[in-house]
Amino acid sequence: MRPLALDPNRLLPADPTTRGIARELYDTIADLPIVSPHGHTDPEWFATDAPWNNATELFLAPDHYVFRMLYSQGIDLDALRVPKRGGVVPDTDPRSAWRLFAGNYRLFRGTPSRMWLDHVFAEVFGFDRLLDAGSADHYYDTINEALTTPGYRPRALFERFKIDFLATTEGADDPLDQHAAIRRSGWGGRVVTTYRPDSVIDPEHEEFGTALAKFAELTGEDVGSWQGYLRAHQKRRADFRAAGATATDHGFATARTANLSTIDAEALFGRVMSGKWDAADAELFRAQMLTEMAKMSVEDGMTMQIHPGATRNHNAKLFASHGRDKGADMPTRTEYIESLRPMLDLVGNEPNLTVILFTLDESTYARELAPLAGHYPCLRLGPSWWFHDSPEGMRRFREMTTETAGFYNTVGFNDDTRAFFSIPARHDVARRVDCGFLARLVAEGRMQDWEAHELAYELTNGLVRKAYKLDQTLPQAAAA
Amino acid sequence: MRPLALDPNRLLPADPTTRGIARELYDTIADLPIVSPHGHTDPEWFATDAPWNNATELFLAPDHYVFRMLYSQGIDLDALRVPKRGGVVPDTDPRSAWRLFAGNYRLFRGTPSRMWLDHVFAEVFGFDRLLDAGSADHYYDTINEALTTPGYRPRALFERFKIDFLATTEGADDPLDQHAAIRRSGWGGRVVTTYRPDSVIDPEHEEFGTALAKFAELTGEDVGSWQGYLRAHQKRRADFRAAGATATDHGFATARTANLSTIDAEALFGRVMSGKWDAADAELFRAQMLTEMAKMSVEDGMTMQIHPGATRNHNAKLFASHGRDKGADMPTRTEYIESLRPMLDLVGNEPNLTVILFTLDESTYARELAPLAGHYPCLRLGPSWWFHDSPEGMRRFREMTTETAGFYNTVGFNDDTRAFFSIPARHDVARRVDCGFLARLVAEGRMQDWEAHELAYELTNGLVRKAYKLDQTLPQAAAA
Amino acid sequence: MRPLALDPNRLLPADPTTRGIARELYDTIADLPIVSPHGHTDPEWFATDAPWNNATELFLAPDHYVFRMLYSQGIDLDALRVPKRGGVVPDTDPRSAWRLFAGNYRLFRGTPSRMWLDHVFAEVFGFDRLLDAGSADHYYDTINEALTTPGYRPRALFERFKIDFLATTEGADDPLDQHAAIRRSGWGGRVVTTYRPDSVIDPEHEEFGTALAKFAELTGEDVGSWQGYLRAHQKRRADFRAAGATATDHGFATARTANLSTIDAEALFGRVMSGKWDAADAELFRAQMLTEMAKMSVEDGMTMQIHPGATRNHNAKLFASHGRDKGADMPTRTEYIESLRPMLDLVGNEPNLTVILFTLDESTYARELAPLAGHYPCLRLGPSWWFHDSPEGMRRFREMTTETAGFYNTVGFNDDTRAFFSIPARHDVARRVDCGFLARLVAEGRMQDWEAHELAYELTNGLVRKAYKLDQTLPQAAAA
């Protein structure tokens, strides 16, 4: 039997002087509330406050970080009870899926998944022995038992986790019923939505047609005309703001933007709507729409997030059998300097616009992103993302962006997760890594101690509140 | 006179806590046998067990790491007795070449060559003073004297170095006589071959025509027909397996793969064989053949290695005068996500296939390679390669791949060398750097101590044996 | 009130063992004279020895590192008294501009600008409290007062800073009057020029036409003919050598070179001169001219510097209102292996040619630049540049280049600045970071202590003198 004991100094640098400074910094911010301005939790959890089912459905089947690693070592997704295309759940016994996971827990050594899971197991469920084949059943039964108790329901955990703000992400075709239910319920948790209109913007999105129909229905606009289509976006952005949204989010394969004349934009839109478009049209339309979204943000004040560079569904066979979000998305080389130029030419110098850039291509941190954010008033750098949301990834982000962009052009941490239980673990990792980085600057005489203290707060709570305008009142109707 | 004394803690992190952990890990694996699954030693050495000639011919003239550095500082290759095109040896006195090398030994400060050479000088020859102009003759005479003694012959050193497994690399046109001679000799060392068919696959290879003729002769197949050509590969793969091979190896300028229909493949093959091909055809043929090789690996179980991204013979004048492998190969930017897709569409999910990916482009570690290997069952990551086979390169490899791919999707160390004497030094560097990395994870509370011990063994002996199937029996005849 | 006190051990690694070694190394080179072989100070300063005006015009208005960061946070350039296009100075009170800067000094936390400025404030002006809103006026008055005294004039500071050699940079159309004035003045400071002919080479340069006219006038050559144009370059190179130049410098968007036949070069030149060129012609002409410059360097011995990869004037609106060099230049991905090939085919093996390569794309350090410099006799690596001229940037440069190129294919530090006061600070940062890197190699048993001492000198004074031929006599007339 192997113990599970979280090292209270985990992730702080080993050098005693640096660790001492880091520890002191960390102690001042460890218990600050969590601000989670971008993620993928399900608003229904907070609307209904229904309990979760069991350990397998909670931690294994929905977490692509977890099952992709198991899959990479030849473990079948059915045996892990990962749903197939259309949500069809294999008839694997959830307990045996859990045992398979537990018996292969060693595969996660050195990965952030391991740190997040251990944190959840120790801090949220109180386990003191490590997950392995021998403890699998103990874990499974203990977790399932806990999930039936009131303290493990969504709202109770939201409060236990000291979450101050939590943004979910919904499509432009979403009626926002769950968010309405949350607000109607009178529960005080600040759970808001984020406007993510990819499925009504990207002609290559598999749900483009249906999403567009719903978009028309929800807005009452003629989305077949360019002006009607833009008005529909404005209306839905207002709907989202009414549901608490302060931000939009956009995730395409590239960061390309465009700034077409109205005539060219209408012609392009016509091709897209008539179905007579090719791949270049689709790319150009996404590019044009990023600029349109930026223009709307100038009007309505919504912070704009751009998450480019993921090649989705790389594994064709797995996509056919299991559909999206099954751990087969791959990062790709991403270009920003020329790609963003058309949008920046138009709105780059707007002082009240905030555009947060993310990347899956770390080679752009020092070469493109920090120089851009260190100049353009509208730009800020999102934290290290997805594959790079990890201790080494966070360290590289700070090392490669700070000297050119400074700290004040960054926006704190995003957990970007649908794994609700792991939110405190993820924020804790970021806080520790950032304190370690600040401590190194202090230990190397590059920053004064009191400055590091100010920054530890900024990186945890200050900058995120400002970048996502959490303390501002945005216009509650469409500007146009 | 400057002493030569290897620091027993070399390459372990300087922080005392971390060093203590690293030292403890290292002590458990320092003396494990060497498994060398990929390299370029000459099987003739082990077939004949003939002594080596002298220090210059052993350490200087054949080692492109060494003479490229000297050349970069304006030192003439003739003066170093580096052979010209066709193997013509300049009539430089080998002792004066050695003196020139010794007098410029400072150039290697901070390079892995320096560490490898010092290790060989201290551990294999017992020198206790540093190589420099003053000690050049002492070195030269001592080494030459030693080489005449039985203990410095290939087989004696193989045993002294505790080499458990050593793979050489031969072309598809190689009759494997030396390997046959090794087996006939009754000597017990496990020296095997590796199937490297580049010269019969790449129409742009300077030996394509002659290699193909030999390929036909050795197999008795009509290599002018697509089916005969494929059968010839199957036969030769079987020959190589009979000579102990467990793996194939492929090194082209890109990682591009293709999956053409049989009709298109035959048409392409026809153009290649008729000499009516252009550069795009050559690239497509190499791409198609990577997929064909993967398909054959599914059948016959041979592990497939892909070493892409070297621009060969960049220095045109030097190539004209001195030929291949003269230190003028350059890495190039390499793309994997789209390049490997056709092959992965076909065989990516095969649980029994192992494809080991290497790179000369470190920007792909975190962005492309770790995400691919952390998902596809068939993929594993080869260690940091060539220019990156160095302490800093190894550290970056672990820091940039572990969090996404874990440790278990990697395959331990490759020395990839023809410098036989340096094999223990190279493996020792890898063991030390890996122990330093593991120790940091332990010191930072990111891994438990006993887990690091398990991993230290895996990274040294466990994973390599599995990835290269050293303990499996592969089919001894072609599958088709 | 916050103190300003430079940590005497700043930038040295925190680990006590490593810091001790680094400190010992640093103590031996901290006071060595400054050799500044590449920068942008104004020779008029040394020709006239006139005092500077005030703190704002000295430290704020001309320093794009400083005002780009302030601008990125929404601060107006007019309010900072940054000159508009054509040098028009906004009528902002310089004191209020200074106060705005001081009140936002926190934005520079973690940036090299902060380290440089604090060094200047503490060491050159003797401040012992930090710059902030509260100390703004104290700073402003103290600095302005000091600037009126003899000790703060250019020549006095040149001597106080122990500058041994300082190269400025002038265009091919510059009459070099200031340099002539410096030499006529009898002052002993070695301030020399550098030949930077971009404006007469790049057809897309906004001053191409006027610069070319001046170029013709200064040389008396028919620059409308290809041979006359080349002779004009030879003459001006001789003029520059007569003004002490030992080097040329070339900064285009890419590193592309070409080696056209004379007929093709003449045809291309004809298109360029007739104005009938397109973007591809412009790129090819710059490429051809890099090779022509290299050929002339073979003749006249001038060291050639290539600074590729900056996308200039990215912010169109800002360029329209404020012109060049306003913090809106962005790095771009840069390719070297194929780009340099035509030039290297021609002159790569010339033992007396020195070509120093720089980059804004760190992904090329280990992949392209170190392998090239570790082979070609003519190539050397310039230090980490511009956005990467920073502690982390310097560390990455050493970590990513040393193992393949060694130390001896590098050339010491360049400050590359027009911020004269910051020159000692910048060299001090480089010395500290290099000593920290060397100390790590010693602490990890990868280098002997006495070797690190030799290298600390080489990286500070030795290699730069050799690479820039500071102790050689170059031919004082054009070779042709």
Side-chain angles (χ1 to χ4, degrees):
Chain A
M1 200 194 91
R2 299 292 188 175
L4 169 61
L6 302 184
D7 183 339
N9 289 318
R10 64 191 179 279
L11 292 169
L12 306 183
D15 168 67
T17 309
T18 316
R19 175 166 288 190
I21 300 165
R23 181 79 226 177
E24 221 174 274
L25 290 167
Y26 174 71
D27 284 342
T28 67
I29 52 112
D31 294 323
L32 286 178
I34 287 172
V35 178
S36 174
H38 177 70
H40 300 277
T41 52
D42 187 341
E44 188 177 351
W45 299 334
F46 308 103
T48 65
D49 202 30
W52 282 282
N53 278 340
N54 63 56
T56 296
E57 285 174 49
L58 184 58
F59 292 119
L60 177 53
D63 190 335
H64 57 75
Y65 283 86
V66 171
F67 61 70
R68 85 192 300 274
M69 177 65 88
L70 296 163
Y71 185 72
S72 79
Q73 288 275 316
I75 295 172
D76 195 62
L77 292 187
D78 283 358
L80 297 168
R81 219 167 178 266
V82 174
K84 290 176 184 291
R85 188 177 268 266
V88 179
V89 178
D91 62 359
T92 310
D93 171 37
R95 180 182 296 270
S96 65
W98 183 263
R99 285 178 181 163
L100 187 58
F101 166 49
N104 285 284
Y105 198 54
R106 73 182 174 290
L107 299 178
F108 297 95
R109 287 171 181 164
T111 70
S113 293
R114 166 67 185 271
M115 298 207 77
W116 299 330
L117 287 163
D118 277 358
H119 184 116
V120 170
F121 295 153
E123 296 287 309
V124 184
F125 292 97
F127 289 108
D128 60 5
R129 57 181 288 199
L130 193 67
L131 179 64
D132 57 19
S135 62
D137 282 343
H138 170 59
Y139 264 72
Y140 191 72
D141 294 328
T142 306
I143 291 169
N144 292 358
E145 175 64 27
L147 294 178
T148 65
T149 64
Y152 286 83
R153 291 208 179 175
R155 292 181 183 175
L157 287 173
F158 187 96
E159 280 144 32
R160 177 174 166 192
F161 292 166
K162 291 203 267 187
I163 300 177
D164 201 53
F165 179 92
L166 181 71
T168 68
T169 304
E170 273 75 42
D173 58 338
D174 190 296
L176 301 178
D177 294 340
Q178 301 299 343
H179 283 280
I182 293 171
R183 289 196 307 286
R184 274 199 315 271
S185 76
W187 176 59
R190 191 172 176 193
V191 175
V192 309
T193 185
T194 301
Y195 187 58
R196 171 99 176 210
D198 295 1
S199 64
V200 300
I201 286 179
D202 180 6
E204 296 179 315
H205 195 288
E206 56 189 1
E207 294 167 9
F208 184 60
T210 52
L212 215 54
K214 191 90 195 192
F215 188 53
E217 182 193 322
L218 287 166
T219 57
E221 290 288 343
D222 170 16
V223 303
S225 84
W226 177 230
Q227 294 306 327
Y229 175 78
L230 293 178
R231 273 196 307 275
H233 277 289
Q234 288 168 323
K235 283 192 174 175
R236 292 257 62 204
R237 292 169 67 105
D239 293 343
F240 275 66
R241 288 198 302 285
T246 69
T248 72
D249 184 30
H250 310 276
F252 301 130
T254 75
R256 190 169 161 204
T257 64
N259 186 19
L260 302 176
S261 67
T262 303
I263 285 176
D264 288 347
E266 283 185 330
L268 172 64
F269 182 76
R271 291 197 298 280
V272 163
M273 288 298 141
S274 68
K276 291 179 185 151
W277 50 270
D278 58 16
D281 284 333
E283 171 76 353
L284 186 58
F285 187 67
R286 292 186 295 258
Q288 178 62 26
M289 283 308 298
L290 280 182
T291 304
E292 298 294 341
M293 290 292 111
K295 284 155 67 179
M296 291 186 196
S297 277
V298 171
E299 297 300 320
D300 64 20
M302 295 180 86
T303 289
M304 181 175 179
Q305 300 169 96
I306 303 182
H307 283 93
T311 298
R312 304 277 171 181
N313 312 314
H314 191 268
N315 188 329
K317 280 181 191 161
L318 194 75
F319 183 60
S321 61
H322 286 76
R324 290 188 160 251
D325 298 325
K326 290 300 179 293
D329 298 337
M330 300 293 155
T332 37
R333 206 154 62 201
T334 308
E335 201 280 336
Y336 293 88
I337 300 291
E338 291 308 318
S339 298
L340 295 177
R341 192 198 281 265
M343 183 184 84
L344 292 171
D345 275 350
L346 198 68
V347 300
N349 300 295
E350 290 289 340
N352 297 320
L353 174 65
T354 301
V355 177
I356 304 177
L357 301 176
F358 294 81
T359 198
L360 294 176
D361 180 354
E362 292 179 311
S363 76
T364 66
Y365 281 159
R367 186 183 61 216
E368 305 181 27
L369 293 177
L372 285 167
H375 168 69
Y376 281 100
C378 76
L379 295 181
R380 296 292 180 272
L381 300 186
S384 53
W385 172 42
W386 197 341
F387 297 94
H388 312 305
D389 173 12
S390 61
E392 300 298 324
M394 289 172 182
R395 183 175 54 80
R396 285 195 291 272
F397 174 79
R398 291 288 174 209
E399 289 178 359
M400 295 201 271
T401 64
T402 304
E403 294 179 318
T404 291
F407 289 102
Y408 292 87
N409 283 309
T410 64
V411 303
F413 180 65
N414 282 186
D415 54 69
D416 195 12
T417 191
R418 74 176 276 113
F420 179 60
F421 278 71
S422 75
I423 287 179
R426 290 171 192 249
H427 285 259
D428 187 61
V429 169
R431 291 172 186 194
R432 289 170 180 272
V433 173
D434 279 342
C435 287
F437 180 70
L438 290 169
R440 184 158 75 83
L441 297 190
V442 174
E444 294 180 0
R446 295 156 71 178
M447 179 177 286
Q448 298 192 24
D449 190 69
W450 63 273
E451 296 181 292
H453 274 87
E454 278 189 23
L455 283 166
Y457 174 80
E458 287 294 338
L459 300 184
T460 309
N461 271 195
L463 293 170
V464 62
R465 301 194 73 86
K466 191 171 167 218
Y468 286 90
K469 306 189 178 183
L470 303 193
D471 306 315
Q472 293 182 34
T473 306
L474 301 185
Q476 288 305 313
Chain B
M1 199 197 93
R2 297 294 187 172
L4 169 62
L6 302 183
D7 183 339
N9 289 318
R10 65 190 179 278
L11 292 169
L12 305 183
D15 169 66
T17 309
T18 315
R19 176 167 288 191
I21 299 166
R23 181 79 227 177
E24 220 174 274
L25 289 168
Y26 174 71
D27 285 341
T28 67
I29 53 112
D31 294 324
L32 286 178
I34 286 172
V35 178
S36 174
H38 178 69
H40 300 277
T41 52
D42 187 340
E44 189 176 352
W45 298 335
F46 308 103
T48 65
D49 203 31
W52 281 282
N53 279 340
N54 63 57
T56 296
E57 286 173 48
L58 185 57
F59 292 119
L60 177 52
D63 190 336
H64 57 76
Y65 283 86
V66 171
F67 61 70
R68 86 191 299 273
M69 178 65 88
L70 296 163
Y71 185 73
S72 79
Q73 288 277 315
I75 296 172
D76 195 63
L77 292 188
D78 283 357
L80 297 168
R81 219 166 177 269
V82 175
K84 289 175 185 290
R85 186 177 269 267
V88 180
V89 178
D91 62 0
T92 311
D93 171 35
R95 180 182 295 270
S96 65
W98 183 263
R99 285 177 181 163
L100 187 57
F101 165 50
N104 286 283
Y105 199 53
R106 74 183 173 291
L107 299 178
F108 298 94
R109 287 170 181 164
T111 71
S113 294
R114 166 67 184 273
M115 296 209 77
W116 299 330
L117 287 163
D118 276 0
H119 184 116
V120 171
F121 295 154
E123 295 287 310
V124 184
F125 291 98
F127 289 108
D128 60 4
R129 58 182 288 201
L130 193 68
L131 180 64
D132 58 20
S135 62
D137 282 344
H138 170 60
Y139 264 72
Y140 190 72
D141 294 329
T142 305
I143 290 170
N144 292 358
E145 176 64 27
L147 293 178
T148 65
T149 63
Y152 287 83
R153 291 208 179 174
R155 292 181 183 176
L157 288 172
F158 186 96
E159 281 145 31
R160 177 174 166 192
F161 292 166
K162 290 204 266 186
I163 299 176
D164 201 52
F165 178 91
L166 181 71
T168 68
T169 304
E170 273 75 43
D173 57 337
D174 190 296
L176 300 178
D177 293 340
Q178 300 299 343
H179 283 280
I182 293 170
R183 290 196 306 286
R184 273 198 315 270
S185 77
W187 177 60
R190 192 173 175 192
V191 176
V192 309
T193 186
T194 302
Y195 187 59
R196 170 99 177 210
D198 295 1
S199 65
V200 299
I201 285 180
D202 180 5
E204 296 180 312
H205 196 287
E206 57 190 2
E207 293 168 9
F208 184 61
T210 52
L212 214 55
K214 191 90 195 190
F215 188 53
E217 181 193 321
L218 287 167
T219 58
E221 290 288 344
D222 170 17
V223 303
S225 84
W226 177 229
Q227 294 306 327
Y229 175 77
L230 294 177
R231 273 196 307 273
H233 277 290
Q234 289 168 321
K235 282 192 174 176
R236 292 259 61 205
R237 292 169 67 106
D239 294 343
F240 275 65
R241 289 197 301 285
T246 69
T248 73
D249 184 31
H250 310 276
F252 302 129
T254 75
R256 190 169 162 204
T257 63
N259 186 20
L260 303 176
S261 67
T262 303
I263 285 176
D264 288 347
E266 282 186 331
L268 172 64
F269 182 75
R271 292 197 298 281
V272 163
M273 287 298 141
S274 68
K276 291 178 186 151
W277 51 269
D278 58 17
D281 284 333
E283 171 76 351
L284 185 58
F285 187 67
R286 293 185 296 259
Q288 178 63 26
M289 284 308 299
L290 281 183
T291 304
E292 298 294 342
M293 290 291 112
K295 284 154 66 178
M296 290 185 197
S297 277
V298 171
E299 297 299 320
D300 64 20
M302 295 179 86
T303 289
M304 182 175 178
Q305 299 168 97
I306 304 181
H307 283 94
T311 297
R312 303 277 172 180
N313 313 313
H314 191 269
N315 188 328
K317 280 182 190 163
L318 193 76
F319 183 59
S321 62
H322 285 76
R324 291 188 157 250
D325 298 326
K326 290 301 179 295
D329 299 336
M330 300 292 158
T332 37
R333 204 153 64 201
T334 308
E335 200 281 335
Y336 292 88
I337 301 291
E338 290 307 318
S339 298
L340 295 177
R341 192 198 280 265
M343 183 184 83
L344 292 171
D345 276 350
L346 199 67
V347 299
N349 300 295
E350 289 289 340
N352 297 320
L353 174 65
T354 301
V355 178
I356 303 176
L357 301 176
F358 294 81
T359 199
L360 294 176
D361 180 354
E362 292 178 312
S363 76
T364 66
Y365 281 160
R367 187 182 61 216
E368 304 180 27
L369 293 178
L372 285 166
H375 168 69
Y376 279 101
C378 76
L379 295 181
R380 295 292 180 274
L381 301 185
S384 53
W385 172 41
W386 197 342
F387 298 93
H388 312 305
D389 173 13
S390 62
E392 300 297 325
M394 289 171 184
R395 183 174 54 81
R396 284 195 291 272
F397 174 79
R398 291 288 174 210
E399 289 178 358
M400 295 201 271
T401 64
T402 304
E403 294 179 318
T404 292
F407 288 102
Y408 292 88
N409 283 310
T410 64
V411 302
F413 181 64
N414 282 185
D415 55 68
D416 196 11
T417 191
R418 74 174 278 117
F420 179 60
F421 280 70
S422 76
I423 287 178
R426 290 170 192 249
H427 285 259
D428 187 62
V429 169
R431 292 174 186 193
R432 289 171 180 272
V433 174
D434 279 342
C435 287
F437 180 71
L438 291 169
R440 184 158 75 83
L441 297 190
V442 173
E444 294 179 358
R446 295 156 71 178
M447 179 177 287
Q448 299 192 24
D449 191 70
W450 63 273
E451 296 181 291
H453 275 87
E454 279 189 24
L455 283 167
Y457 174 80
E458 287 295 335
L459 301 183
T460 310
N461 271 194
L463 294 170
V464 62
R465 301 195 72 87
K466 192 173 166 214
Y468 286 90
K469 307 191 179 181
L470 302 193
D471 306 314
Q472 293 182 31
T473 306
L474 301 184
Q476 288 305 315
Chain C
M1 199 196 92
R2 297 293 188 175
L4 168 62
L6 302 184
D7 183 338
N9 289 317
R10 65 190 178 279
L11 292 169
L12 306 183
D15 169 67
T17 309
T18 315
R19 176 167 287 191
I21 300 165
R23 181 80 227 176
E24 221 174 273
L25 290 168
Y26 175 71
D27 285 342
T28 67
I29 53 111
D31 295 324
L32 286 179
I34 286 172
V35 179
S36 174
H38 178 70
H40 300 277
T41 51
D42 187 341
E44 188 177 353
W45 298 335
F46 308 103
T48 64
D49 203 32
W52 281 281
N53 278 341
N54 62 56
T56 296
E57 286 174 48
L58 185 57
F59 292 120
L60 177 52
D63 190 336
H64 57 75
Y65 284 87
V66 171
F67 61 69
R68 84 192 301 274
M69 178 65 88
L70 296 163
Y71 186 72
S72 79
Q73 288 277 315
I75 296 173
D76 195 61
L77 292 188
D78 283 358
L80 296 168
R81 218 166 179 268
V82 174
K84 289 175 182 292
R85 187 177 268 266
V88 180
V89 178
D91 62 0
T92 311
D93 171 35
R95 180 183 295 272
S96 65
W98 183 262
R99 285 177 181 164
L100 188 58
F101 166 49
N104 285 284
Y105 198 53
R106 73 182 175 290
L107 299 178
F108 298 95
R109 288 172 181 163
T111 72
S113 292
R114 166 68 185 272
M115 297 208 77
W116 299 329
L117 287 164
D118 276 359
H119 184 117
V120 170
F121 295 154
E123 295 287 310
V124 184
F125 291 97
F127 290 109
D128 60 4
R129 57 182 288 200
L130 193 67
L131 180 64
D132 57 19
S135 62
D137 281 344
H138 170 60
Y139 263 73
Y140 190 73
D141 294 329
T142 306
I143 290 170
N144 292 359
E145 175 64 27
L147 293 178
T148 65
T149 64
Y152 286 83
R153 292 208 177 174
R155 292 181 183 177
L157 288 173
F158 186 95
E159 282 145 28
R160 176 174 167 192
F161 292 166
K162 291 204 267 189
I163 299 176
D164 201 54
F165 178 91
L166 181 71
T168 67
T169 303
E170 273 75 42
D173 57 338
D174 190 296
L176 300 178
D177 293 340
Q178 300 299 344
H179 283 280
I182 293 171
R183 289 198 305 287
R184 274 197 315 271
S185 76
W187 176 59
R190 191 173 175 192
V191 176
V192 309
T193 186
T194 301
Y195 187 59
R196 171 99 177 211
D198 294 1
S199 64
V200 299
I201 286 180
D202 180 6
E204 296 180 313
H205 195 288
E206 57 190 1
E207 295 168 8
F208 184 61
T210 52
L212 214 57
K214 191 90 195 191
F215 188 52
E217 182 193 322
L218 287 166
T219 58
E221 290 289 342
D222 170 16
V223 304
S225 84
W226 177 230
Q227 295 307 326
Y229 175 77
L230 293 177
R231 273 197 307 275
H233 277 291
Q234 289 167 323
K235 282 192 173 174
R236 293 258 62 204
R237 292 170 67 106
D239 293 344
F240 275 65
R241 288 198 300 286
T246 69
T248 72
D249 185 29
H250 311 276
F252 302 129
T254 75
R256 189 169 162 203
T257 65
N259 186 19
L260 302 176
S261 67
T262 304
I263 287 176
D264 288 346
E266 284 186 329
L268 172 64
F269 182 76
R271 291 197 298 280
V272 163
M273 288 298 141
S274 67
K276 291 178 186 151
W277 50 270
D278 58 16
D281 284 333
E283 171 76 351
L284 186 58
F285 188 67
R286 294 185 295 259
Q288 178 63 25
M289 284 307 298
L290 280 182
T291 304
E292 298 293 342
M293 290 292 111
K295 285 155 66 179
M296 290 185 196
S297 277
V298 171
E299 297 300 320
D300 64 22
M302 293 178 87
T303 289
M304 180 174 181
Q305 300 168 98
I306 304 181
H307 283 94
T311 297
R312 303 277 171 180
N313 312 314
H314 191 269
N315 188 329
K317 281 183 191 160
L318 194 77
F319 183 60
S321 60
H322 285 76
R324 289 189 159 252
D325 298 327
K326 290 301 179 292
D329 298 336
M330 300 293 157
T332 38
R333 205 154 63 202
T334 308
E335 200 282 335
Y336 293 87
I337 301 291
E338 290 307 318
S339 298
L340 296 177
R341 192 199 281 265
M343 182 184 85
L344 292 171
D345 276 350
L346 198 68
V347 300
N349 300 295
E350 290 289 339
N352 298 321
L353 173 65
T354 301
V355 178
I356 304 176
L357 301 176
F358 294 81
T359 199
L360 294 177
D361 181 354
E362 293 178 311
S363 76
T364 66
Y365 281 159
R367 186 183 61 214
E368 305 180 26
L369 294 177
L372 285 166
H375 167 70
Y376 280 101
C378 76
L379 295 181
R380 296 292 180 271
L381 300 186
S384 52
W385 173 42
W386 198 342
F387 298 94
H388 312 304
D389 174 12
S390 62
E392 300 297 326
M394 290 171 181
R395 183 175 54 80
R396 284 196 291 272
F397 175 78
R398 292 287 174 210
E399 289 178 358
M400 295 201 272
T401 65
T402 304
E403 294 179 319
T404 291
F407 289 102
Y408 292 88
N409 283 309
T410 64
V411 303
F413 180 65
N414 282 185
D415 54 69
D416 195 12
T417 191
R418 74 174 275 115
F420 179 60
F421 279 70
S422 75
I423 287 179
R426 290 170 192 250
H427 284 260
D428 187 61
V429 169
R431 291 173 187 194
R432 288 171 181 273
V433 174
D434 279 342
C435 287
F437 180 71
L438 291 169
R440 184 159 75 83
L441 297 190
V442 173
E444 294 180 359
R446 294 156 71 178
M447 179 177 285
Q448 298 192 25
D449 190 70
W450 62 272
E451 296 181 290
H453 275 88
E454 279 189 25
L455 283 167
Y457 174 80
E458 287 296 335
L459 300 184
T460 310
N461 271 195
L463 294 170
V464 62
R465 300 195 73 86
K466 191 173 166 216
Y468 286 89
K469 305 189 179 183
L470 303 193
D471 306 315
Q472 292 181 33
T473 306
L474 301 185
Q476 288 305 315

